[in-house]
Amino acid sequence: VQLQASGGGLVQAGGSLRLSCAASGTIFGIYTMGWYRQAPGKQRELVATVSRGGTTHYADSVKGRFTISRDNANNTVYLQMNSLKPEDTAVYYCNADVSHTPFSEQNYWGQGTLVTVSS
């Protein structure tokens, strides 16, 4: 299974970006999908997750500004980021719990996409 992330880039503070991450390969089902980020010199941290049924969870630092969503038919997760701040600058990674059979599940990471917010 591969997770292909896209949509990162350079944006001014207050601007918006939309990240996408599509899963491909041998997929029976995808459970929780999410976005994490890692800023220079810091540990990777949770940004947001969404369950297969649509239940979402956000880090306090992005609540009210970021929205996570998913398209189950296309095995894709999105992250709409509004009111971006310089402290949102990081490499963003998508993550997914994927089952290849009805009885197995494995966690996967995408390759990361860089988001840079200028002040």
Side-chain angles (χ1 to χ4, degrees):
V1 171
Q2 288 190 327
L3 300 182
Q4 184 66 45
S6 61
L10 173 64
V11 64
Q12 288 188 333
S16 299
L17 282 176
R18 189 191 194 209
L19 305 183
S20 300
C21 178
S24 61
T26 303
I27 298 171
F28 177 80
I30 303 180
Y31 302 104
T32 300
M33 303 184 82
W35 291 94
Y36 293 72
R37 67 186 181 187
Q38 187 167 18
K42 295 188 177 181
Q43 290 187 330
R44 191 173 298 189
E45 63 177 6
L46 170 71
V47 176
T49 61
V50 57
S51 71
R52 183 169 180 83
T55 300
T56 58
H57 172 75
Y58 295 93
D60 288 342
S61 59
V62 306
K63 281 181 181 177
R65 301 187 297 122
F66 291 9
T67 302
I68 189 170
S69 61
R70 63 189 286 172
D71 179 349
N72 290 331
N74 292 300
N75 296 328
T76 301
V77 62
Y78 304 97
L79 186 68
Q80 177 66 43
M81 305 185 293
N82 299 329
S83 302
L84 282 161
K85 304 175 181 179
E87 50 263 44
D88 294 318
T89 295
V91 177
Y92 284 70
Y93 297 90
C94 58
N95 180 273
D97 291 324
V98 180
S99 63
H100 302 284
T101 73
F103 310 106
S104 69
E105 185 177 319
Q106 192 167 348
N107 187 259
Y108 291 90
W109 289 95
Q111 85 284 8
T113 184
L114 177 62
V115 172
T116 303
V117 184
S118 63
S119 57

